[in-house]
Amino acid sequence: MACLQINNNNNNNNNNNNNNNNNNNTFPIYNLHDFQLAAKQKVPRDLYEYLASGTDDEQTLAENRAAMKQWYLRPRVLRPVSNICTTTCLFGQKLKVPFFVSPAGVQCLCDPDGECATAKACGKVGTIFGHSQHATKSIEEVAQEVPDANKWYQLYILKDRAMTGALIGRAVQAGYKGIFLTVDSPRLGYREADARNGFNALPEPFRLANYPASFGDTYNKQQHEAWDQNSQELFDTNVTWDIIPWIKEQCAPLPIIVKGIHTAEDAILAVKWGADGVMVSNHGGRQLDGALATIDILPEIVQAVGGLVPVLIDGGFQRGTDILKALALGATAVGIGKPIFFALCVGGQEAVEKLFQMLANELEAAMALCGCASIEEISSLGLVTRHPSGGSIVHYQRAKL
């Protein structure tokens, strides 16, 4: 596949005093990591580090990637693979690829069209767009701009329960097809990079578009050194499992996926309380540092739910082979998070579409080399294993911003 050439001129709406200067006019993009390298050169340092960083020592951020290399593929040969099909199905909704956009907020910091650009790209590739409660384009704006895309709404539980219910109702009314309930965020992880850079409020003129203007007095009050510690004051910190049936009443007949599951025990409880699916996620290494990489948690969760509900996953997926490994371990679909930000930064909707195409091409090639002609075949062939030594033969060092 020919590389994508990205113009390196800084056209971000934010102050670029901290921008990393580079005199090259273009940056060649051959894979998802290249989008991050290009974004680092293109956008202001405080924005880049907000997008790229994790919490505390960033152990979990690094291990999300490193853990992919601890799982090895066992290709099957002499199988017909002339017609590769990447189509899958989730709650009766057809996805042309088994990956989707995980909900992630404030995308207008990266591109003027923000969430609308990403949703359009999802519509073109035929997959799910996860719309964050902390988006910079509202539920209704995205629905009006991209009516035909498969849109799911991501929900935080607010102290204001009536507002929480109203947000769900707006998503249902606007034609969204499912709900991601994020459960790993009673508080938001402390991101030292944001404190060091003074990133403690959204830059003007950006706002969290799904909230009334008065909420800005809370999430932008600059009381704390890092922005997320200001915005977390909107959240209810006493939520328990009985929130699931309440949400199901509000969003019926839409399915609800509980996002942020780390243990078999919680996966079982989620199903018991009525979740239609679970999502293994550590918030991209941006919540509890020291938590396991998501792909290492996945087998435990798949075994726990026993096929009763779909299991989704995100966290560190950057290659088609990464996606193949997750599907082989029992995941139904894989979410892509941080790379979407970086693609938006360097090329908007077009770059997100290119990102999807790169992943699709890599996945198709990996499927062919593993003897899989369809997504359904992947989980039945025993395609993944640990290295015989018990770990990786390569030492992977901590990721750098």
Side-chain angles (χ1 to χ4, degrees):
M1 179 179 177
C3 77
L4 174 67
Q5 293 289 340
I6 296 297
N7 189 314
N8 197 43
N9 294 328
N10 188 303
N11 62 358
N12 192 275
N13 292 324
N14 296 307
N15 187 310
N16 63 1
N17 291 336
N18 293 324
N19 190 44
N20 296 311
N21 293 321
N22 188 292
N23 294 324
N24 296 330
N25 291 325
T26 60
F27 194 103
I29 304 289
Y30 291 95
N31 55 53
L32 267 64
H33 184 59
D34 286 344
F35 283 109
Q36 181 167 352
L37 296 177
K40 186 175 183 179
Q41 296 188 43
K42 187 178 177 71
V43 304
R45 173 179 158 182
D46 59 350
L47 174 58
Y48 171 76
E49 293 192 354
Y50 171 72
L51 302 174
S53 66
T55 52
D56 298 345
D57 293 326
E58 299 183 340
Q59 176 188 356
T60 300
L61 173 67
E63 290 190 6
N64 273 346
R65 282 299 305 143
M68 300 292 177
K69 310 304 181 185
Q70 305 284 347
W71 293 93
Y72 290 79
L73 291 165
R74 302 175 64 248
R76 302 294 301 275
V77 298
L78 295 178
R79 295 173 57 85
V81 290
S82 59
N83 294 303
I84 301 292
C85 178
T86 61
T87 298
T88 191
C89 193
L90 181 66
F91 302 115
Q93 302 170 22
K94 180 180 177 181
L95 310 182
K96 292 183 180 179
V97 289
F99 52 86
F100 62 96
V101 171
S102 283
V106 297
Q107 293 184 18
C108 286
L109 297 184
C110 305
D111 177 79
D113 290 332
E115 289 83 4
C116 289
T118 304
K120 288 176 182 177
C122 289
K124 285 197 173 184
V125 77
T127 195
I128 290 170
F129 167 69
H131 182 103
S132 171
Q133 186 159 306
H134 284 185
T136 40
K137 295 286 187 181
S138 72
I139 294 166
E140 294 80 8
E141 285 179 287
V142 175
Q144 183 176 0
E145 188 76 15
V146 200
D148 297 328
N150 186 348
K151 300 173 290 292
W152 283 52
Y153 182 67
Q154 176 265 327
L155 182 71
Y156 291 116
I157 304 301
L158 302 174
K159 293 175 182 176
D160 186 336
R161 189 60 56 85
M163 176 62 69
T164 304
L167 287 164
I168 298 170
R170 287 166 57 190
V172 173
Q173 183 66 30
Y176 286 60
K177 296 184 178 181
I179 301 291
F180 291 109
L181 169 63
T182 295
V183 295
D184 63 0
S185 305
R187 297 177 63 172
L188 294 178
Y190 182 63
R191 293 146 204 177
E192 293 178 10
D194 296 343
R196 294 179 191 278
N197 292 326
F199 194 93
N200 63 355
L202 292 182
E204 293 291 343
F206 301 107
R207 294 290 183 271
L208 300 183
N210 289 318
Y211 293 149
S214 60
F215 276 39
D217 296 337
T218 298
Y219 66 73
N220 261 358
K221 67 180 178 181
Q222 302 182 349
Q223 177 179 343
H224 301 281
E225 292 179 317
W227 177 59
D228 284 313
Q229 273 58 60
N230 293 311
S231 59
Q232 75 182 14
E233 295 194 18
L234 296 168
F235 299 164
D236 185 344
T237 58
N238 293 309
V239 179
T240 57
W241 289 103
D242 59 4
I243 196 66
I244 295 177
W246 180 81
I247 294 171
K248 288 178 72 73
E249 289 180 3
Q250 310 299 311
C251 73
L254 303 186
I256 175 174
I257 290 179
V258 177
K259 178 181 180 290
I261 295 295
H262 289 243
T263 65
E265 295 90 336
D266 281 346
I268 292 168
L269 282 169
V271 175
K272 175 183 176 182
W273 281 94
D276 300 296
V278 297
M279 184 164 173
V280 183
S281 177
N282 55 35
H283 226 99
R286 293 166 71 83
Q287 282 298 92
L288 178 65
D289 199 32
L292 284 170
T294 54
I295 198 165
D296 287 340
I297 305 170
L298 179 60
E300 173 185 340
I301 307 303
V302 170
Q303 182 178 9
V305 302
L308 293 176
V309 299
V311 178
L312 280 61
I313 185 173
D314 67 4
F317 291 87
Q318 292 189 2
R319 287 285 188 181
T321 48
D322 299 338
I323 294 170
L324 181 62
K325 291 173 185 178
L327 298 177
L329 288 169
T332 304
V334 172
I336 309 299
K338 287 180 186 290
I340 301 298
F341 283 126
F342 301 132
L344 282 173
C345 284
V346 300
Q349 177 186 341
E350 179 185 3
V352 176
E353 291 175 17
K354 291 291 185 182
L355 179 152
F356 288 148
Q357 191 58 59
M358 288 176 178
L359 276 181
N361 289 345
E362 289 181 4
L363 176 61
E364 287 182 22
M367 288 173 63
L369 292 171
C370 284
C372 299
S374 69
I375 298 301
E376 291 74 22
E377 292 179 354
I378 293 174
S379 62
S380 64
L381 294 177
L383 295 179
V384 286
T385 186
R386 291 288 194 176
H387 193 270
S389 68
S392 172
I393 61 174
V394 179
H395 177 63
Y396 289 88
Q397 298 186 0
R398 179 180 181 277
K400 296 180 179 179
L401 287 179

